[in-house]
Amino acid sequence: MKTLLVLGGGTAGTMTANRLRHRLDAHEWRIVVVDQDDEHHYQPAYIFVPFGDATRDQVVRSRHRFLHDGIELVLAEIDVVDAEARTVGLVGGRELVYDYLVIATGTTPRPDQTPGMLGPEWRRSIFDFYTLDGAEALAKALADFDHGRLVVHITEMPIKCPVAPLEVTFLAEAWLRRRGIRDRVELVFVTPLDGAFTKPVAAARLGAMLDERKIHVETDFLVEHIDQERRVLVSYDEREVAYDLLITVPLNMGADYVARSGLGNELNYVPVDRHTLLSTAYDTIFVLGDASDIPTSKAGSVAHFAVDVFVDNFLEHVEGRPMTGSFDGHANCFVEAGDEKAVLIDFNYDVEPLPGKYPVPYVGPMTLLKETRTNHLGKLAFRHLYWNVLMPGRPVPLPAHLSMAGKQQPSQPPEEA
Ligand SMILES: Cc1cc2nc3c(=O)[nH]c(=O)nc-3n(C[C@H](O)[C@H](O)[C@H](O)COP(=O)(O)OP(=O)(O)OC[C@H]3O[C@@H](n4cnc5c(N)ncnc54)[C@H](O)[C@@H]3O)c2cc1C
């Protein structure tokens, strides 16, 4: 009997275990998933919590309910991986032995990494929304906020879902307008990037959306510390941004056990071959989801497309055959824009987000890089797709690889609406 051990039972780990349970002979393979708790969170819904548009019971499900029969779930914190001995030590002393390992422990916000972020003002005037507790605390603070400087801030890239801070900014702007207090609030978006987003065409479109909403953008801002008493963000180049209420995205890092195991880079992400997701150091370790160092967005969509490619590759690899699938870094992300509209972006390692239609070229129904109600409805529908189709490992009729059909290059004239 061989053992496939999956570390992390979130988006990538759950899909991986369920998909492989169907493909690996149960008489030959044990599949074991390890996670520290039994709460599976649908993280894309966190952005709606501060504005009262999603509740805890819509976000959280029991993890073990989503794992198929024939998959063991071990609830424990991972302490260390010994990749030479092929063992995983758990906090409490238990040791698990594996033949193949999938690391899918994601990335976590780390407010402890920025001086002055934690402390007496944490969740009083400084909030995060990358945790459910943080998003709920922010909802309470926003209910009492009726004037002043509201600052949305990104500490450093990469972060999971890099458009989520923009979404919260757009949603806050629309929410302030709905409450009739937009003119009493100064909205500021503070980013370490040189624009609203990383790639030129999307950065221009999303930057224009910030301008249209009269949201001031502070670019190239690398926070050195937060002065809680004076309520200012201070950058390494000694600029200051004042706030009354700060919504920050702390530094995101891979799990600490990755560092303890000598498997990670400086942010605890595991280096892999970006086309096969196989560790560059060990041919018994694959990394799926946010935990690897692949140069694309850290997003659930990426985990989904990567798992599609990985499943067949894994079967080839364990039989000693060359892996024939090649992951292209495909990502797509909805960007909530407020007023029940959203923008959709679709890109990969080589192709930046471009205008066009998705998923059916020239038809849609979704429109890329444009605010539409259909895109917003697509974002809302995705939650149901996530719990009922993606997590159980059912097939989704979306190609794993990016398609250029129907996409307009920057030099081409824009398509008619
Ligand atoms: C605010 C927000 C909005 C988002 N919006 C979108 C979106 O619109 N579209 C999109 O595609 N993606 C979005 N994402 C990103 C998406 O949620 C993640 O990319 C996805 O969940 C990554 O899957 P993963 O399996 O790598 O990590 P996760 O789903 O985070 O799972 C990691 C698991 O590992 C476990 N774990 C970690 N360390 C240990 C340890 N030491 N011991 C035991 N268990 C451990 C955790 O408990 C967790 O269950 C968003 C994320 C956030 C925070």
Side-chain angles (χ1 to χ4, degrees):
M1 197 78 167
K2 294 195 200 76
T3 299
L4 168 67
L5 191 55
V6 180
L7 301 184
T11 308
T14 302
M15 280 189 289
T16 300
N18 284 341
R19 295 278 295 276
L20 280 175
R21 189 62 292 173
H22 287 296
R23 304 287 298 277
L24 293 170
D25 188 335
H27 300 291
E28 284 178 30
W29 285 88
R30 269 178 86 208
I31 301 182
V32 182
V33 174
V34 185
D35 205 296
Q36 58 206 356
D37 58 43
D38 193 24
E39 281 196 357
H40 187 144
H41 288 213
Y42 178 61
Q43 298 171 42
Y46 289 175
I47 61 163
F48 297 115
V49 173
F51 310 102
D53 293 328
T55 54
R56 182 170 278 263
D57 58 319
Q58 292 171 324
V59 173
V60 185
R61 297 273 157 93
S62 162
R63 224 179 267 296
H64 68 259
R65 270 189 43 208
F66 283 89
L67 292 171
H68 291 183
D69 290 348
I71 298 171
E72 295 164 51
L73 174 64
V74 175
L75 291 181
E77 193 183 333
I78 299 146
D79 183 29
V80 71
V81 176
D82 183 337
E84 299 291 341
R86 292 201 220 151
T87 59
V88 173
L90 305 178
V91 170
R94 188 169 165 196
E95 192 175 82
L96 304 172
V97 179
Y98 65 83
D99 294 282
Y100 288 91
L101 187 70
V102 169
I103 293 181
T105 35
T107 183
T108 313
R110 294 290 296 267
D112 58 307
Q113 298 291 311
T114 300
M117 196 175 276
L118 292 176
E121 286 297 311
W122 178 247
R123 297 194 178 156
R124 294 167 79 100
S125 58
I126 305 176
F127 295 86
D128 67 320
F129 65 96
Y130 266 48
T131 61
L132 184 52
D133 289 345
E136 286 180 334
L138 175 59
K140 287 199 190 109
L142 282 174
D144 295 333
F145 184 78
D146 59 6
H147 70 282
R149 256 171 93 85
L150 177 56
V151 174
V152 181
H153 164 247
I154 304 169
T155 301
E156 180 58 295
M157 292 295 186
I159 55 172
K160 52 185 155 185
C161 195
V163 294
L166 281 169
E167 296 184 279
V168 158
T169 310
F170 294 140
L171 288 172
E173 198 274 339
W175 182 81
L176 291 166
R177 255 189 293 116
R178 271 205 316 277
R179 289 178 67 204
I181 54 169
R182 175 65 184 95
D183 56 346
R184 298 170 61 186
V185 177
E186 205 180 336
L187 251 175
V188 184
F189 183 73
V190 182
T191 170
L193 300 175
D194 60 4
F197 196 62
T198 42
K199 304 289 163 85
V201 177
R205 180 76 277 269
L206 296 167
M209 286 169 62
L210 290 165
D211 286 349
E212 286 155 16
R213 289 161 175 79
K214 301 198 171 16
I215 297 164
H216 173 71
V217 184
E218 188 77 31
T219 55
D220 300 305
F221 191 96
L222 277 169
V223 67
E224 193 270 324
H225 74 277
I226 299 175
D227 186 331
Q228 293 203 350
E229 249 170 53
R230 292 171 52 232
R231 294 198 174 175
V232 286
L233 291 157
V234 184
S235 67
Y236 282 96
D237 58 3
E238 292 172 9
R239 279 181 287 155
E240 293 192 347
V241 173
Y243 61 85
D244 293 300
L245 199 158
L246 176 65
I247 305 175
T248 187
V249 178
L251 183 72
N252 280 203
M253 288 179 75
D256 283 339
Y257 80 84
V258 170
R260 281 196 293 277
S261 311
L263 291 172
N265 64 17
E266 68 289 354
L267 286 172
N268 301 348
Y269 298 127
V270 185
V272 294
D273 177 300
R274 65 187 200 156
H275 297 298
T276 63
L277 296 321
L278 182 65
S279 151
T280 52
Y282 295 94
D283 75 350
T284 49
I285 301 181
F286 287 87
V287 188
L288 288 159
D290 297 345
S292 84
D293 72 340
I294 56 173
T296 186
S297 278
K298 296 192 179 298
S301 60
V302 171
H304 160 219
F305 296 133
V307 169
D308 275 355
V309 175
F310 160 78
V311 168
D312 287 327
N313 274 355
F314 182 75
L315 299 176
E316 290 167 341
H317 187 67
V318 298
E319 286 170 8
R321 291 186 280 137
M323 292 185 270
T324 50
S326 177
F327 180 54
D328 67 353
H330 190 193
N332 47 51
C333 303
F334 290 100
V335 190
E336 271 298 299
D339 303 317
E340 302 195 335
K341 288 186 179 165
V343 172
L344 179 63
I345 55 176
D346 186 49
F347 56 103
N348 71 9
Y349 293 139
D350 305 312
V351 179
E352 66 171 310
L354 294 170
K357 295 283 188 181
Y358 186 87
V360 184
Y362 308 104
V363 175
M366 261 89 78
T367 310
L368 298 169
L369 273 178
K370 199 165 170 184
E371 285 174 62
T372 72
R373 184 161 159 74
T374 311
N375 290 345
H376 165 72
L377 294 175
K379 171 125 188 162
L380 297 188
F382 199 79
R383 179 157 57 92
H384 302 283
L385 194 74
Y386 182 87
W387 291 123
N388 299 312
V389 181
L390 279 175
M391 286 312 103
R394 298 199 174 102
V396 182
L398 292 175
H401 293 105
L402 178 129
S403 163
M404 279 305 288
K407 288 203 167 61
Q408 296 147 28
Q409 297 290 354
S411 54
Q412 288 180 305
E415 201 176 288
E416 289 301 308

